Amino acid sequence: MRFGILASAQYPFHEDLQQRLGELWDLTELAAELRYDSVFMISHFMGNLQTPQTISTTAKLIQHSGDMTVGTGILLLPLFHPVHIAEEFATLDHLAKGRLVLGVGAGYRDNEYRAFGLDKSHRFSRLREGIELLRALWTGEQVDYRGKHFAVEGEHIGIRPYQPGGPPIWIGAGAEGSVKRAARLGDAWFAPGNSPKPNWLQRAMEWHDTALADAGKTREGREYPLIVQLYCGETFEGARAEVRPYVQDSYFAYSEYSQLSWQRSAFEYLWDNVFLIGDPDHLERRIKELRATGFNHIVFRPFWTGMPAEMAHRSLRLFAEQVVPRFRAEEGAER
């Protein structure tokens, strides 16, 4: 079982971005000190919150991340040209000396596609072609590729990745067709852990693994990462009372996008049944349930809109000291 943090760097416009970014570097350094396994950076454009851009911020996170895996969670690949991303992430792979993961997804916000002058209905074909072209370019060999959206003839990449074949590609997906696509095209399915549908993760895992088998792939040795909302406190009631205002403010801000309007109406269900917020014993039970479903890499959002940095530090440290060792001890006993 691996544990990482999601650098969900989204801040209200009235906040001091320099201060918040400094807090993000500090939090990442603390996670590295506490031996967390990974840190992932989000991606959005034209948002209703201040959102530093992914590629440049990921480069900065590499400097503060110790030995952790660093990645994007997720990059909106259809909004970019794959040649650009191939060279950027080959460069980042060298900066990270192979500790890099490229997490990609199709996105959901209409305004982002409008701003780029792209037809949102083409996002899945652009995603597929983008992944195909990335993999071809990362071989370092001459590429001849012609798709509906992208074409490269007789060219090779200007910088080969540090990792042979390039960084692993994890695909974010939350609908049945997208989950199956992630199994076929990706090195991992980067699963969202905030569905308001009961037993959705179990059903989605079945979709994924069926598609994986149909593609002639095996579960063995694969990462099964899941993004969750997690906060660890000394007591169950205390943790939930102190963090709820910040989680709620964030979810209500996201619900301003029409595609996420359900996050306001479903918030109470998510709060009671989906989010991982409580004391160490509660979190251990919940994570064991997720492990039984098949997930082996928990990536959690450690802070929400307006939340003081010291709260994130306390939660991160308490979880690392009181919860993570329980899973490490189990794995050691099994070996």
Side-chain angles (χ1 to χ4, degrees), residues 9 11-27 50-52 57 60 64 309:
Y11 311 107
F13 284 101
H14 69 268
E15 292 190 347
D16 183 341
L17 186 57
Q18 286 295 308
Q19 175 186 333
R20 286 302 195 182
L21 287 175
E23 292 170 355
L24 180 60
W25 317 143
D26 290 344
L27 188 70
Q50 294 188 84
T51 309
T57 310
K60 181 69 173 176
H64 298 276

Side-chain angles (χ1 to χ4, degrees), residues 1-4 36-38 40 67-69 101 170 223 287 295-299 324 327-328 331:
M1 201 74 182
R2 303 182 73 206
F3 298 94
Y36 280 89
D37 297 292
S38 61
F40 288 86
D67 295 328
M68 292 192 293
T69 295
V101 166
W170 294 6
E223 295 259 14
I287 292 169
F295 296 101
N296 59 17
H297 192 156
I298 302 299
V299 178
V324 174
F327 291 91
R328 301 283 191 255
E331 292 163 4

Side-chain angles (χ1 to χ4, degrees), residues 134-322:
L134 281 173
R135 293 195 190 280
L137 290 166
W138 279 342
T139 66
E141 304 300 324
Q142 180 174 299
V143 172
D144 290 290
Y145 182 92
R146 180 165 294 278
K148 177 180 178 182
H149 306 288
F150 308 110
V152 172
E153 296 183 5
E155 300 284 356
H156 61 78
I157 198 169
I159 176 172
R160 297 188 181 194
Y162 184 92
Q163 299 174 77
I169 297 177
W170 294 6
I171 303 178
E176 181 174 358
S178 298
V179 170
K180 292 178 177 178
R181 185 181 302 108
R184 294 192 301 270
L185 298 178
D187 296 304
W189 164 45
F190 212 163
N194 65 342
S195 173
K197 300 176 182 177
N199 302 315
W200 182 85
L201 284 175
Q202 291 85 345
R203 293 198 306 275
M205 185 65 79
E206 291 173 0
W207 300 333
H208 178 271
D209 286 353
T210 297
L212 195 70
D214 290 345
K217 300 180 180 180
T218 177
R219 279 188 62 101
E220 187 173 355
R222 292 180 72 87
E223 295 259 14
Y224 276 80
L226 174 70
I227 295 175
V228 300
Q229 315 294 309
L230 185 150
Y231 184 81
C232 186
E234 294 285 353
T235 67
F236 179 80
E237 294 80 5
R240 294 172 74 81
E242 65 187 14
V243 82
R244 175 167 175 141
Y246 307 109
V247 180
Q248 181 171 300
D249 284 353
S250 292
Y251 265 71
F252 284 10
Y254 307 151
S255 72
E256 294 176 8
Y257 296 98
S258 59
Q259 297 86 357
L260 296 182
S261 59
W262 57 269
Q263 291 196 351
R264 180 179 288 266
S265 58
F267 182 80
E268 293 302 329
Y269 177 85
L270 295 170
W271 179 257
D272 291 335
N273 300 282
V274 178
F275 300 155
L276 277 64
I277 296 173
D279 63 286
D281 290 342
H282 174 77
L283 296 181
E284 179 189 12
R285 288 193 299 271
R286 293 294 308 279
I287 292 169
K288 284 182 175 178
E289 293 170 359
L290 296 172
R291 184 178 62 181
T293 303
F295 296 101
N296 59 17
H297 192 156
I298 302 299
V299 178
F300 64 89
R301 188 187 305 262
F303 61 87
W304 295 267
T305 306
M307 183 170 144
E310 57 269 22
M311 286 180 61
H313 281 235
R314 286 200 307 270
S315 170
L316 206 66
R317 185 176 295 279
L318 185 61
F319 185 79
E321 294 175 350
Q322 297 294 323

Side-chain angles (χ1 to χ4, degrees), residues 38-59:
S38 61
V39 55
F40 288 86
M41 181 65 196
I42 66 162
S43 174
H44 276 299
F45 294 94
M46 319 292 283
N48 62 354
L49 296 167
Q50 294 188 84
T51 309
Q53 280 307 305
T54 306
I55 297 173
S56 49
T57 310
T58 298

Side-chain angles (χ1 to χ4, degrees), residues 7-117:
S8 180
Q10 299 177 97
Y11 311 107
F13 284 101
H14 69 268
E15 292 190 347
D16 183 341
L17 186 57
Q18 286 295 308
Q19 175 186 333
R20 286 302 195 182
L21 287 175
E23 292 170 355
L24 180 60
W25 317 143
D26 290 344
L27 188 70
T28 303
E29 290 179 1
L30 177 62
E33 175 189 323
L34 294 171
R35 308 304 299 168
Y36 280 89
D37 297 292
S38 61
V39 55
F40 288 86
M41 181 65 196
I42 66 162
S43 174
H44 276 299
F45 294 94
M46 319 292 283
N48 62 354
L49 296 167
Q50 294 188 84
T51 309
Q53 280 307 305
T54 306
I55 297 173
S56 49
T57 310
T58 298
K60 181 69 173 176
L61 285 174
I62 289 170
Q63 301 176 31
H64 298 276
S65 58
D67 295 328
M68 292 192 293
T69 295
V70 180
T72 52
I74 56 177
L75 181 83
L76 304 175
L77 185 59
L79 300 181
F80 295 86
H81 196 291
V83 171
H84 176 201
I85 298 306
E87 300 241 6
E88 287 278 12
F89 277 79
T91 303
L92 289 173
D93 200 30
H94 279 273
L95 295 178
K97 295 184 179 179
R99 294 184 289 117
L100 188 69
V101 166
L102 173 58
V104 301
Y108 62 87
R109 296 182 183 178
D110 294 333
N111 70 314
E112 290 175 318
Y113 279 88
R114 285 196 303 267
F116 279 86

